[in-house]
Each structure stands twice: as structure tokens, then as C-alpha cells.
Amino acid sequence: VRVRAGGSAAGARPRITLLTDFGTADGYVAAMRGVLATLAPDTPVDDASHAIGHGDIEAAAWCLLQYWDRYPVGGVHLVVVDPGVGGSRRPIAGEVAGRFFVAPDNGVLTHVLAANPSFELVHIDASAVVLEPTSATFHGRDIFAPAAARLATGTRLERLGTAINDPVALNVAPARQERGVLHGEVVHVDRFGNLITNVPGDWLEGASDVIVSGRSVGRPRRHYGDAAAGELVALIDSAGRLEIAVRDASAAARLGTSRGAPVTVRLGGGD
Amino acid sequence: VRVRAGGSAAGARPRITLLTDFGTADGYVAAMRGVLATLAPDTPVDDASHAIGHGDIEAAAWCLLQYWDRYPVGGVHLVVVDPGVGGSRRPIAGEVAGRFFVAPDNGVLTHVLAANPSFELVHIDASAVVLEPTSATFHGRDIFAPAAARLATGTRLERLGTAINDPVALNVAPARQERGVLHGEVVHVDRFGNLITNVPGDWLEGASDVIVSGRSVGRPRRHYGDAAAGELVALIDSAGRLEIAVRDASAAARLGTSRGAPVTVRLGGGD
Amino acid sequence: VRVRAGGSAAGARPRITLLTDFGTADGYVAAMRGVLATLAPDTPVDDASHAIGHGDIEAAAWCLLQYWDRYPVGGVHLVVVDPGVGGSRRPIAGEVAGRFFVAPDNGVLTHVLAANPSFELVHIDASAVVLEPTSATFHGRDIFAPAAARLATGTRLERLGTAINDPVALNVAPARQERGVLHGEVVHVDRFGNLITNVPGDWLEGASDVIVSGRSVGRPRRHYGDAAAGELVALIDSAGRLEIAVRDASAAARLGTSRGAPVTVRLGGGD
């Protein structure tokens, strides 16, 4: 089917997704779910993840990018990775390409907003939205979950607070091309130890060699299966970016590579 | 909004929450979910957590306390943290403040029952409730899940078994005040390394110093954000209790403190 | 109740379960859930597990066996543990005892198929099923989730692709009996360190001693509670197989035993 999954919303019920760094064992996620069950009792709630590293905004932003537009329009994506909760950072809500977002204003929406310049954002400051008493340390339960429940049940975005247009953004360096060489970096290491880069897959035509952590990986191939077990392989990942992997093992462990490591790609010539 | 989340149940569908120490990789949780899907097919089921430490009844009791009354009335909270399953401990079910509970009688409901002296409990001994054959080692699937499904689908509590009024309770020492000093202890260490105590937040008026693991933390402040990154800070947590934290780091790791450590708070005087 | 949970499907809505080795932090599971929410918006989706070890097909096959037939008929069990994704292994779908399955053809359905010789399987090769563009590395999102959504919404199995009857199977050695001694092996070690074997529980009548890792455990008993805390105990587990456990501790750690270790059971004679 040629229709992209997230594009067809006909018949879809609004749905809320949850992304946090809370783990589950302390009951914080369940407390948020209880608030959602009370304020939006008919809205299904999906756990995206509660295993983001403590306060790792970059990882949360990356994770969100993998799924937000695979969901139908009308749903609400709730993100609570919020180091320094209760300080001066704003709670925000937004609408991008028909989906709603609720999050702290700390950069976690960077990738979503960067790809969709036409967005609407508000600072959640309407007193009718938050639960009282409002904890100073658990805005996920007392501010973010109630705001998500309002959006899922039809409250209009502008009723949640004051419009803003200056969201905090992560400092994301794009890949660049210079005299036949692509320069990028590792932007995410996934559970399998795959190294995901910021190099767009459609820049790779004619690529003859990929180099990461000083190691030549050769030209990009199509499948993990094109490599022998244990062999390093470069390929285009499921989000359309250059990825370096080891079949059935961890490229990150093999190469000692972590987020931020430089990646270069030689174009043309080649062996 | 001044309405506490869990207080407003209008329109809410009954819902089941699951809390276990099973992890998920062995399929035990999914087996319970399959039983629930069969016996209560229209009831949404929320995972509270499956990451409770093996047999850690205290941790499960604490986790449950964070969410049970955030859920609407009418729902069922199912807890299976059950060391020694199949021995002499009773399977029990109860109703507290309009919510239902199903659990082994091992103290996991201690905090819920302590705060709500008007509760009803039964020993689940009605043969019509359990699945047969009944495994000797997996009461979660064969006794507790079926009981929860019955309650979610309208079976009355008293139909599940014989009334009891002597549930097992954890030995929980309350905080106490003595000559201008509060004495309490750390009752939970959360994923972030925050130290949560049994000292009620509303006892802290006039507090001039909090001492934990021999370390003075100073007077309680309002937000994590009131501390510098890496600084120890005392504050009132999201459940209204004294908490000791380090902004953007782990107080437990910093201080080498674990559950049970004594905490003292000096009142008045102060610097 | 004598009705086995999974047997009664009256009133049950079709439901999809998810079993992967993805973890959740990379957003891959949420991307699959987004596809399901788009293509099967009214179908509840249960997380069975995302904590299967990387590429551990045996563990996934074991996990699936614990729950698939506890679910009502009509549901779809989706398994994506798929080392070498995108190579030559086939994506398959099947119907067994009224439940549907979608998985890579790598043996993960071995236990389900072995117990139900009357099954139907297809190679998912109908172009109308998959999402395009189809990633070479994420068939969970682009092939398996769409196929599961089709089955959950009423598409007939044969519409998904070409019938096959030669699924890949794991090489599973059955237990055997020889001159009054049962010979089997440890087939799974669960989160609690319990050693689960391939020895059927109904072979154990008259068993006088169980030996694992050179250690005599004695005759099988009925409950964990029949052993003292810290004591090794053999018993029949919740799936009807011989299990070796330590009450309130890990038998695997105590004995240094892992998957594949031989187990022998002496019949008759006695201590």
C-alpha cells in the first residue's frame, strides 16, 4: 500500500502516547495513567517508552521522531523527560501536522518542529488545566497529563495557554558535503548497538566508503543480511539515514563508538 | 481544576491495573493478560509495573500507593508480588474507597488500608472463581487474574469468598516528633536516586535543617530547580512527604543511602 | 471454573499482542504501534514483551508458548525477533487453533505448531499488504505490523500471500525415558532463576530424585512453600513441566545452571 501509515486517519480514535524517563517501578507512570483514565476515560493510552536515560533529552527527541507521524492525526504525544522539573522551563503544548504534543520546553520536540515549520505552540499557563494542589516535583501528573487529557477530549489548543513561537531547540548539527566527502556524526546508538547517523540516505549515491571511529566499513549495502555474521556493514536505516551495524552483534561495542562520534563518507572513485 | 483526579468517576469505564515482579520476558504477564482478555474482554488493562524487585513487597506497596487513588472509582488494582506462592498465604480481594483490589495477603495493601480504615476484604476461596486445573506456582494466572476479571465485570466482592478482617500488614514505623526534632526514615529510593521519607510535608513548617546519613542538607526548598546542578536539596515530594534529592543526579549514590536509613529534621532555631 | 481461559471467546474483541527484542527506548515498538493504530484503530494492542534477548529466538518461542492459547480465539499474535532482518528468511502468517500469528520464518512458532499439527501458513508476499517505501531493516513496522492489522480487521489469511507448509523449526530435543530414568534438559531460565525443563509433569509419578548440574534435588514437591527459604526444590511448573527452583532465590545462580543443561529423574526405588 502506498499510503503512509500515519497519513490515513479515517476511523481512528484519538489516542495518547506516553514517553518518559521514569521507569515504571516507582508508580509515577501509573499515577499519570490514573489521571488520564479519570479525565479522558475513553482514550486508549499507549506506552511509547519509560526507559529513556535519566534526563536524556536528546534520546527522547530521537525516540519521538521514530513514531509520532506513524500515528494517525488527532492523537496526543505526551513527553515527560524533564530534568529540573519545577524550575523556570515552561510546560508547552503544540499542534504539528494534525498531531498534538505536550512536553516541557527543553528541546525534546526539536526534530518534530524542525521538519514542520508550520506549527502552533502554547505555554500551558491556563489555571483551569492543572490539577491542584500542584506538586512542585511531579508536573507529569499534575500539569502534563491533564493537558494531554484535555486535548484528547476536544479542548482546543489555544484554551491551554498563551501562544509562543520561541521553543527551546537542541543544537543539532546537520551533515554537510565538502569536496566529495560527506561529514556527519552518530546521533543515536540503539539497543542493538547500531550507530545511527545524521547523514541522509539519499546523499549516498556513489558512496564508495564509510569511515567511523577510524575504521573503514566499505560502501553501503542494502540489508543486514548482505553482511556475514559479525561483519561491519553500512546501510540506510528505517528512517532513511546512514547506519553502521554489525550483523547479529553490536557495532557500538565493536568500535567503541558512542553518540557524537564523527562519520565520513567518501563519494565516487572508490575501490 | 480543584477536583482531585481520582475523585471524579463520571463516565469512566472500569479498568484493571497490573503490578507484578515478573518482568515481561517469560510470558507470565501476557498469560495473565490472556486470561483477562478472555474473562473481561471489554475492560482496558494498564500495566502499572512489572519491574518490582523480586519479592519486594515493600516496594510494591509503595508503588501502589502512588497511583491507586488517582484512578477512577470502580476499577480493579491487581497486585502479584508473591514470594512463596502456593504456600499458606491467602489470596484476598477488597474494596477501598470505591476501588477494588486483588492481591496475596502479604502486606502489599498495607498503605492503602492504613489510610482507609473503612474497607471490606475477602479471602478468595470460592471455587467458581479460580481456573482449573489450578497451578501450584502461578496463582497470578489461575486465581488473581480471574478474580480481577470477575470484579471488573460486575461480580460482587462477597461472591469471591469469605469476609476477613485480619489482613497481614507490613511493620511500618511512623515518623515522630520529639523536643523540636523530627525523626523518620527513608522509605523508598526511586529510579532517580531520590530519597523518599515517611516525614509528612506538613510537619516541616519552621524546619531549619534536614540530616540524612550524617549529612546536613539545609532547610527544605520548593523545587529541584532551587538547587544548583549537583547540589543536595530537601523538598516536599509529589506525595506530600519529605524527600532528599540531588538535582540532575542520584542522592542515593551520593550519600550511599538506602531504604531504612534514619532522617532527622531540626525545627525552629536554625541559621 | 472448568473452562480453560482461552477456550471461551464469546464476546471477545480481536486483540493484537506484541512480542519483540526491541526494548522500548529507540521508538521502534511505538512506530509499530502507530502503524497498528492507523490500520486497525479499534483493536486493543497488548505488550507481551519487548525484553527478549537480542535475537534470542528460543526465548521468544518459549515466551509465546506461555500465553498464546490463554487469549481468546480471533486475536493476532505478532512476534518480531528477527536476527538478519531483510535477508532471505520469509515473513509468514498463520492460523492455529483459531488464533492468528505473524512472524519471521525462523522457528519462533515452533512450539505453537508442534502442538497443533493442523495449521495454515502463508508466506506474506502480497504487495497490497506491506507499507511502501519498505525499509530494508525494519520489517516489524513495514511488513509484520501491517499484516497483523489486516488480520485483526478481517482480511482472510490467504489474502496475505502464498500458502506454505515447510516452516523453519527449532531443533527441540524431547525428553526420553530409559530403564527407569528420565533424561531431559533445561529449556528456559526465568527471571526468578527457576529452571524450566522439557520433562512433562505427568511423567513424574513415582519420581524419587531429580538431578541437575550434578546436584540431587530430591523428589518433586507441590509448592514453593513446601521448601524452606533458600532450599532447592523440584516441582511441576505452571505449564505442566518439571521445574527446579530455590524458594525466594535463584536456582540458576545457586547451581550455575543455564539453558541446555541436562536433567535426570530417577523413577521408583526411592531415597
Side-chain angles (χ1 to χ4, degrees), chain A:
Chain A
V1 285
R2 287 224 161 256
V3 176
R4 183 155 206 251
S8 137
R13 305 158 63 192
R15 194 173 278 266
I16 296 172
T17 72
L18 288 182
L19 178 63
T20 79
D21 61 350
F22 290 173
T24 60
D26 299 308
Y28 301 145
V29 169
M32 291 176 62
R33 277 186 165 274
V35 171
L36 296 172
T38 302
L39 298 177
D42 296 320
T43 305
V45 178
D46 283 6
D47 292 303
S49 183
H50 305 296
I52 298 297
H54 182 185
D56 191 340
I57 297 167
E58 283 82 1
W62 183 262
C63 182
L64 177 64
L65 180 61
Q66 306 311 308
Y67 65 83
W68 76 274
D69 65 348
R70 296 287 168 170
Y71 270 87
V73 301
V76 183
H77 301 291
L78 172 51
V79 184
V80 191
V81 176
D82 191 17
V85 53
S88 56
R89 69 93 192 91
R90 301 174 294 195
I92 60 175
E95 182 177 351
V96 181
R99 285 82 170 179
F100 296 96
F101 296 83
V102 176
D105 182 25
N106 61 15
V108 78
L109 301 182
T110 298
H111 301 312
V112 173
L113 300 178
N116 298 274
S118 161
F119 56 77
E120 289 181 76
L121 288 179
V122 301
H123 174 190
I124 302 171
D125 55 13
S127 61
V129 174
V130 305
L131 297 189
E132 295 184 4
T134 309
S135 158
T137 59
F138 194 4
H139 289 183
R141 182 190 67 193
D142 297 339
I143 297 177
F144 295 115
R150 305 300 179 202
L151 291 169
T153 53
T155 298
R156 295 171 59 88
L157 181 65
E158 57 265 35
R159 298 286 301 277
L160 266 53
T162 312
I164 62 168
N165 57 13
D166 59 344
V168 169
L170 297 173
N171 193 355
V172 178
R176 64 199 161 74
Q177 178 162 353
E178 200 172 87
R179 285 178 293 176
V181 179
L182 306 179
H183 297 272
E185 64 181 72
V186 173
V187 293
H188 185 70
V189 177
D190 76 11
R191 187 197 188 196
F192 301 113
N194 298 325
L195 309 174
I196 295 154
T197 77
N198 61 347
V199 178
D202 50 15
W203 290 15
L204 293 176
E205 196 161 346
S208 56
D209 195 15
V210 172
I211 294 130
V212 59
S213 293
R215 177 76 175 270
S216 163
V217 179
R219 71 176 66 243
R221 285 177 270 179
R222 179 150 167 74
H223 300 287
Y224 295 126
D226 291 337
E231 189 187 1
L232 279 161
V233 57
L235 70 179
I236 299 177
D237 85 343
S238 60
R241 293 175 191 79
L242 174 67
E243 170 185 324
I244 295 96
V246 173
R247 182 166 163 198
D248 300 340
S250 165
R254 171 78 63 83
L255 296 170
T257 304
S258 55
R259 195 161 70 192
V263 175
T264 56
V265 181
R266 223 174 290 278
L267 299 178
D271 46 335

Side-chain angles (χ1 to χ4, degrees), chain A residues 21 23-28 30-31 33-34 38 41-42 50 52 54 85-86 128 130 132 135-138 141 150, chain B residues 1-2 5 8 11-13 15 46 48-49 52 63 66-67 70-72 188 190-192 196 222-224 235 238 248:
Chain A
D21 61 350
T24 60
D26 299 308
Y28 301 145
R33 277 186 165 274
T38 302
D42 296 320
H50 305 296
I52 298 297
H54 182 185
V85 53
V130 305
E132 295 184 4
S135 158
T137 59
F138 194 4
R141 182 190 67 193
R150 305 300 179 202
Chain B
V1 283
R2 287 223 158 255
S8 137
R13 304 158 63 192
R15 193 172 277 268
D46 283 5
S49 183
I52 299 296
C63 182
Q66 306 311 306
Y67 64 83
R70 297 288 169 171
Y71 270 87
H188 185 70
D190 76 11
R191 188 196 187 197
F192 301 113
I196 295 155
R222 180 150 167 74
H223 300 287
Y224 296 125
L235 71 179
S238 60
D248 301 340

